[in-house]
Amino acid sequence: GVDEAGRGPLAGPVVAAAVVFPPEMLRGMPAPFTELNDSKQLRAAQRERLFAALREHPALQIGVGVVTAAEIDRINILRATHLAMARALQVLEPLPELALVDGLPVPGLPCGSKSLVKGDARSLSIAAASVVAKVTRDAMLAALDAEYPQYGFAKHKGYGTAAHLQALQEHGPCPAHRMSFAPVRQLRLF
């Protein structure tokens, strides 16, 4: 299963994750994995607990792909999302024969793929990838918050909240911002 986090924010990377459950595990899903769902439907504490359990389970394969804000600006967010997914899959050994991808079809993946609209609610492996991508990206934004505390990245995760837009007005963009996104591009000083 493959999913991404961070397509819409004004700052930070887009992160994709790929998670492979062994077939025998899917037949009798152990706790806490029975709680898996779209990461947006889970509380932060649930996501953190599931993330830890996923990372610690020896039978799972997990790949993470990251595309930076600068790369997003260079190639656009759609291609960046596809690239992050390809990078997440390329980490897996062996490469899966088929990837279930949340949403619309994704060209250029290193293996076959099938898209599932609302896949994070229909597939445990996509739901797991959703959790891994979200928790990984949230941790990256917390690190950016330590580097650039004036923006409040730890709170809004780079999304265009009123507080974030106010910080952009006051401080201008930092290197973590996506300069090609309209609210940031409009503030750039030349």
Side-chain angles (χ1 to χ4, degrees), residues 35 40 57 62 65 87 92 98 107 126-127 162 188:
E35 293 180 35
K40 293 179 285 303
H57 200 287
I62 297 174
R87 287 177 178 173
L92 301 176
L98 182 72
I126 294 175
R188 288 190 70 189

Side-chain angles (χ1 to χ4, degrees), residues 33-148:
F33 302 132
T34 54
E35 293 180 35
L36 279 169
N37 196 356
D38 173 5
S39 65
K40 293 179 285 303
Q41 303 299 319
L42 301 170
R43 293 182 318 279
Q46 286 177 296
R47 287 193 301 267
E48 292 287 342
R49 188 174 63 253
L50 284 163
F51 177 79
L54 289 163
R55 299 288 298 182
E56 292 168 5
H57 200 287
L60 296 179
Q61 286 190 63
I62 297 174
V64 174
V66 176
V67 176
T68 66
E71 288 176 294
I72 292 167
D73 288 337
R74 240 185 352 269
I75 64 174
N76 82 39
I77 188 60
L78 180 61
R79 290 206 303 252
T81 300
H82 295 172
L83 178 58
M85 290 178 171
R87 287 177 178 173
L89 284 163
Q90 288 167 338
V91 173
L92 301 176
E93 286 191 25
L95 189 65
E97 291 179 28
L98 182 72
L100 298 176
V101 180
D102 185 39
L104 300 174
V106 177
L109 294 179
C111 63
S113 65
K114 178 179 179 178
S115 60
L116 290 175
V117 174
K118 298 196 184 296
D120 43 15
R122 298 171 56 197
S123 163
L124 285 173
S125 59
I126 294 175
S130 171
V131 167
V132 171
K134 173 81 171 127
V135 172
T136 300
R137 186 176 187 283
D138 285 357
M140 295 172 89
L141 269 289
L144 281 175
D145 187 71
E147 192 172 347
Y148 304 103

